[in-house]
């Protein structure tokens, strides 16, 4: 019976995505696209949730589709954006590692802002920002920098954490290569005005032996304290809810980093026992229930 319920829930999420309207937006010479899910009377005034996916992923991935469906059931409209990753009108599919990487981690911040402006142009007055994994860090970066009164809340699902030693060790364990000589090579290219030059046969994010520009490689792999999302949270002016799964093996130690930030009533930590990095199965219901309660939707 439980498996049947889970299947039905996931089906509803996927159906919600399929029924969603695909919308596009011109941005810096590119066309961006997103899934817009209108939930009855809540559209467009709000609340509306703007969702940002994780590393090299897309608007239609399971966690995005499922959350859009579950939020719609609760009367909450949503917009799941497809980060361009430097590509025009990028398909709702995982990034093809054979395609050279010229995108940067921080590109997402501008795209989130462009979609927020689009939502406001549609009449949205209350927008909550939601990001998953790396998208959580990118969402936090935008939220920390904005004073837009339309942004009323921030939800971070297993947002990226970082420290220099762990990052370098993880790179070496995965690719059997030292990160720092590659960073030095990329830095020399940028210093010589060749930041857009492609580095061949390089291991980059999830892609083995791909091609990436020096600027792109540095954007994702150079030491940067702001890659550690908990360090950004105190800079965010609106209520922040962080979701941490006890079985998450991708982002580890998140709850321990966020727990000291809780206490002033602005930051909430939701620890979901049994949930993995993607909050699959019934755990997505817990996330959607928490979001609805936080937004005052009963």
């Amino acid at each position: 019976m439980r498996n049947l319920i889970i299947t039905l829930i996931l089906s509803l999420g996927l159906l919600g995505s399929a029924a969603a309207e695909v919308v596009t937006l011109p941005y810096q010479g590119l066309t961006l696209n997103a899934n817009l899910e209108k939930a009855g009377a809540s559209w467009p005034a709000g609340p509306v949730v703007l969702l940002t996916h994780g590393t090299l992923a897309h608007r239609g991935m399971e966690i995005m589709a499922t959350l859009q469906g579950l939020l719609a059931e609760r009367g909450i409209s949503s917009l799941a954006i497809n980060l361009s990753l430097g590509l025009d009108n990028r398909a709702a599919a995982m990034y093809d590692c054979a395609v050279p990487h010229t995108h940067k981690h921080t590109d997402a911040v501008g795209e989130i802002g462009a979609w927020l402006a689009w939502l406001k142009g549609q009449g949205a007055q209350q927008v909550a920002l939601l990001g998953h994994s790396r998208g959580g860090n990118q969402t936090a970066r935008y939220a920390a920098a904005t004073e837009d009164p339309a942004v009323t809340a921030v939800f971070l699902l297993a947002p990226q954490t970082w420290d220099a030693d762990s990052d370098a060790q993880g790179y070496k364990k995965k690719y059997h290569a030292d990160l720092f000589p590659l960073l030095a090579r990329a830095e020399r290219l940028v210093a010589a005005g060749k930041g857009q030059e492609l580095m061949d046969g390089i291991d980059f994010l999830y892609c083995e032996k791909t091609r990436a520009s020096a600027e792109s490689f540095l954007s994702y792999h150079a030491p940067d304290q702001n890659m550690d999302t908990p360090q950004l949270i105190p800079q965010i002016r609106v209520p922040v809810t962080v979701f941490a799964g006890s079985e998450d093996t991708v982002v580890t130690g998140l709850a321990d980093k966020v727990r000291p930030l809780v206490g002033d009533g602005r930051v909430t930590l939701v620890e979901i026992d049994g949930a993995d990095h993607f909050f699959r199965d019934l755990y997505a219901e817990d996330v959607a229930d928490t979001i609805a309660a936080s937004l005052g939707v009963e």
Side-chain angles (χ1 to χ4, degrees), residues 76-94:
I76 300 172
S77 298
S78 63
L79 181 76
I81 70 174
N82 218 41
L83 295 177
S84 72
L85 302 180
L87 304 179
D88 184 51
N89 204 19
R90 186 172 73 90
M94 297 298 293

Side-chain angles (χ1 to χ4, degrees), residues 14 25 37 47 53 59 63-64 86 89 100 110 112 135 153 162 164 181 184 191 208 220 232 266 271-272 275-276 294:
L14 293 172
L25 173 67
E37 185 78 58
H53 58 74
R59 57 178 163 84
I63 189 171
M64 298 287 105
N89 204 19
I112 290 170
W162 177 92
E208 297 183 13
Y220 287 96
L232 292 167
R266 190 181 56 82
E271 299 181 69
I272 302 181
D276 66 7
S294 177

Side-chain angles (χ1 to χ4, degrees), residues 136-137 140-141 144 225-236:
N137 179 265
R141 285 177 185 250
Q225 291 295 329
N226 283 335
M227 288 292 194
D228 191 40
T229 306
Q231 297 201 42
L232 292 167
I233 291 174
Q235 304 172 43
I236 300 174

Side-chain angles (χ1 to χ4, degrees), residues 253-296:
L254 175 62
D256 290 339
K257 286 192 169 188
V258 174
R259 202 171 288 114
L261 305 176
V262 177
D264 64 357
R266 190 181 56 82
V267 179
T268 301
L269 172 63
V270 178
E271 299 181 69
I272 302 181
D273 188 38
D276 66 7
H277 186 62
F278 294 97
F279 300 89
R280 291 184 173 94
D281 303 337
L282 294 176
Y283 302 117
E285 290 270 3
D286 296 335
V287 172
D289 285 341
T290 300
I291 291 172
S294 177
L295 297 179

Side-chain angles (χ1 to χ4, degrees), residues 146-158:
T146 190
E147 296 183 2
D148 195 317
V151 176
T152 59
V154 173
F155 300 101
L156 306 175
L157 279 67

Side-chain angles (χ1 to χ4, degrees), residues 78-278:
S78 63
L79 181 76
I81 70 174
N82 218 41
L83 295 177
S84 72
L85 302 180
L87 304 179
D88 184 51
N89 204 19
R90 186 172 73 90
M94 297 298 293
Y95 193 97
D96 183 354
C97 286
V99 176
H101 300 266
T102 60
H103 52 92
K104 296 187 284 294
H105 176 80
T106 51
D107 290 343
V109 176
E111 294 186 19
I112 290 170
W115 281 114
L116 175 63
W118 183 86
L119 283 172
K120 291 166 62 179
Q122 302 298 306
Q125 300 169 21
Q126 305 173 56
V127 180
L129 305 178
L130 181 151
H132 172 246
S133 198
R134 181 179 296 276
N137 179 265
Q138 292 160 327
T139 295
R141 285 177 185 250
Y142 180 82
T146 190
E147 296 183 2
D148 195 317
V151 176
T152 59
V154 173
F155 300 101
L156 306 175
L157 279 67
Q160 174 184 354
T161 57
W162 177 92
D163 72 70
D165 289 341
S166 295
D167 190 53
Q169 291 168 11
Y171 190 91
K172 187 167 187 176
K173 180 178 180 180
K174 183 172 185 176
Y175 294 119
H176 308 289
D178 290 326
L179 177 61
F180 295 115
L182 297 171
L183 291 173
R185 176 184 164 197
E187 288 168 351
R188 288 194 297 271
L189 287 170
V190 170
K194 300 178 180 179
Q196 297 182 6
E197 183 172 311
L198 293 176
M199 300 168 68
D200 291 328
I202 199 164
D203 299 315
F204 175 86
L205 296 176
Y206 298 148
C207 297
E208 297 183 13
K209 301 298 182 276
T210 186
R211 306 174 75 200
S213 72
E215 290 179 341
S216 184
F217 189 81
L218 289 176
S219 175
Y220 287 96
H221 289 290
D224 177 2
Q225 291 295 329
N226 283 335
M227 288 292 194
D228 191 40
T229 306
Q231 297 201 42
L232 292 167
I233 291 174
Q235 304 172 43
I236 300 174
R237 299 164 183 80
V238 298
V240 179
T241 303
V242 180
F243 296 88
S246 67
E247 305 306 308
D248 190 342
T249 59
V250 178
V251 174
T252 58
L254 175 62
D256 290 339
K257 286 192 169 188
V258 174
R259 202 171 288 114
L261 305 176
V262 177
D264 64 357
R266 190 181 56 82
V267 179
T268 301
L269 172 63
V270 178
E271 299 181 69
I272 302 181
D273 188 38
D276 66 7
H277 186 62
F278 294 97

Side-chain angles (χ1 to χ4, degrees), residues 45-59:
V48 181
V49 180
L50 191 163
L51 299 87
T52 302
H53 58 74
T55 306
L56 301 183
H58 58 94
R59 57 178 163 84

